[in-house]
Amino acid sequence: MYRYDEVDQQIVDARVSEFRLQTERYLAGELPEEEFRPLRLMNGLYVQRYAPMLRVAIPYGQLNSEQLRALAQIADQYDKGYAHFSTRTNLQYNWPNIADVPDILADLAKVQMHAVQTSGNCIRNTTTDQFAGIAKDEVADPRPWCEIIRQWSTFHPEFAYLPRKFKIAVNARASQDNAAIEVHDIGLQLVKNEAGELGFAVYVGGGLGRTPIIGSLIQPFLPWQHLLTYLDAILRVYNLHGRRDNKYKARIKILVKALGPEVFAAKVDAEWQHLKDGPETLTQAEVERVCQHFIDPDYLPAQADAEQQLAQLRSDKPGFDRWLTRNLTEHKQPGYAAVTLSLKKVGIAPGDATSAQMRAAADLADRYSFGLLRVSHFQNLVLTDVRLEDLPALWQEAKEHGFASPTVGTLSDMICCPGGDFCSLANARSIPIAEALQARFDNLDFLYDLGDLELNISGCMNACGHHHVGNIGILGVDKKGQEFYQVSLGGESGSKASPSIGQIIGPSFSEQEIPQVVDTVLSVYVQQRQAEERFIDCFRRIGMAPFKEAVYAKAD
Amino acid sequence: MPKLINQQAELVADDYLWLEDLAQLPTDEQQGLLVPLALWQQARAELQRFKRLGVKLASDEFAELIAADLGKFSLVAIEFPKFVDGRGYSTARLLRERYNFTGELRAVGDVLLDQLHYLKRCGFSQFALRDDQNLAHASAMLQVFSDSYQSGVDQPQPLFRRRQLA
Ligand code: SF4
């Protein structure tokens, strides 16, 4: 992973001193809340429903064991001994004191971490596939590009006060898109042209939230050298022309839609003509420098009988077999696999981890995965480089620490935002919904029978829980001061084709009704599916009507 | 009164007269004048006689509107109606980097301590700090960062190019 040099460290340290001064001025009453607000947001600090929330950046989801231990230490020292992994692969502390935040940031800086631009109307943490660098079908490793974007976007002087937040995602796989780039402000797809040169297909103006839109392709092949100048051009057009009069209309997607993608693309191109080949043009030397940080670890040769032994163990131990079936991902390196450590244990809020679990995961990473981990947008941890012969031992230990729920990719692996229990923007709580659903559908055979099924829950239109792209999406809405939930079906992300946005099934439901509604939806699927047909494919074939009919027949 | 400072956080005198309409036009042509864009557009002939002329852009008045006239101005002021309105940063860079404006570039309006660093990087040479801002912190806020990743007006070479030389 990327390691800071002196200058990187200096920049992060300087940020800590700056924020320390700002916090002091705020606490001394010199800096009014209204003016402190954007500053604290750009340092990851929210003021939440019950307490401040600090969001720490985990750039493109990559983390080492030392960093994870430091995060655990912070959870113990400044918070209540746990933290929450978010759908943007960041980490959130729910109970820090504002006065402690500069110290927390200083502790983070010691392990080359920060909370820079994890909130606010600026360029946020760039995200990518949780299996970046180990997937078989990558055009190139996306992580060096994410790091290059991280450095370019960090304290970008021109784009610190954008009309609204700005999110960039990078995907490098041809067959799959775990980063959901087409629902980002900018989505970058690594591609090669006919001459075999590397570049990016650039999508702009996608997004979820109040107005879900799939991004438009405005540049089918941007040679890699021009990545930053082109990003500068897009951001400049947005900074100057994006709406600032209405925060619900301020995202770039609204500008792209208002102008039309062709006109927007032409504006970007006109701007880019001035910036192209300028100083921000990337050099081979820089790309190589950054790539050096992401070279493969020293993999051992695969043991000839490793696969056989595994097969034997699988047939002896059904639990192990289940775990491997759901929680293992193929690796480009023979003899290795990636293992998802599930943070979806029934009864615990999705994505939450205690400090003890964080330390345990760090130990597992040291022992089994070169000390490296990833955070996925499904709010799980991933050990990316596990030898096949280590899997049985890892499984045992993962079980002891509550990481071995063999449910990755199933209904039970739901995405869920913090919702009304923590978030001051929420219309409704989301964690109790997740818990009720996990409790109701806890039969593994049933979950496996349902197969791949993404259920996503957001507590409000901001869609942090990505409800639009869930096969089943649940959205908290406010009905005359009461918490209600709107259900949508047919969303999908991560697929080969474009992501699709779910359709709302009909009038919303109370908290108590939701488990039954989901149950009914699932029964319709089970009755109607054809052999091996996934939920989403079945939905696409039969449409909304049968689901709607069944759900409202029962609800009446 | 806002406090006008330079990039070293030193107080500087504002020797431009802020003129809103022609009725107040002084007779002394040596007097520095700062006028809104609209006034410049309507009264170019009268205003051009003044040796030190400044024009003020509102946040939605962009660089290209004065690009052709830049040679006539010794000062361009860019207004920040609210400090969170970030359009002025792009306008400033365009004036400096695309249109090669070398005169004074002044941030006016809701100009606060915590934005000084960004403003400086985008090419502002003067900052009319809002009157309640504590000058004692200005120097610290202008010097927090000893280096930056991106190309800017203050350092056109991005860090990655300088890293290669090191
Ligand atoms: S979706 Fe809404 S409720 Fe949930 S975390 Fe985001 S802002 Fe808060």
Side-chain angles (χ1 to χ4, degrees), chain A residues 291-303:
Chain A
C291 283
Q292 279 306 310
H293 293 270
F294 298 95
I295 49 178
D296 285 343
D298 293 326
Y299 292 123
L300 296 169
Q303 271 183 18

Side-chain angles (χ1 to χ4, degrees), chain A residues 32-111:
Chain A
E33 165 58 24
E34 188 203 344
E35 285 160 23
F36 182 54
R37 188 169 175 274
L39 306 176
R40 65 168 164 74
L41 289 176
M42 280 190 258
N43 286 284
L45 181 61
Y46 280 76
V47 172
Q48 288 281 49
R49 185 157 285 200
Y50 302 111
M53 181 270 275
L54 179 67
R55 181 182 293 152
V56 175
I58 301 180
Y60 37 95
Q62 185 145 4
L63 195 66
N64 66 29
S65 54
E66 182 200 11
Q67 292 174 324
L68 189 51
R69 285 193 192 94
L71 293 171
Q73 176 59 31
I74 291 170
D76 284 338
Q77 194 175 338
Y78 302 100
D79 204 309
K80 297 187 176 177
Y82 70 95
H84 173 79
F85 289 96
S86 81
T87 55
R88 282 197 62 77
T89 75
N90 291 319
L91 180 99
Q92 299 181 172
Y93 293 110
N94 282 312
W95 312 95
N97 290 316
I98 293 183
D100 288 336
V101 170
D103 290 336
I104 300 176
L105 297 182
D107 287 356
L108 288 171
K110 285 182 201 140
V111 291

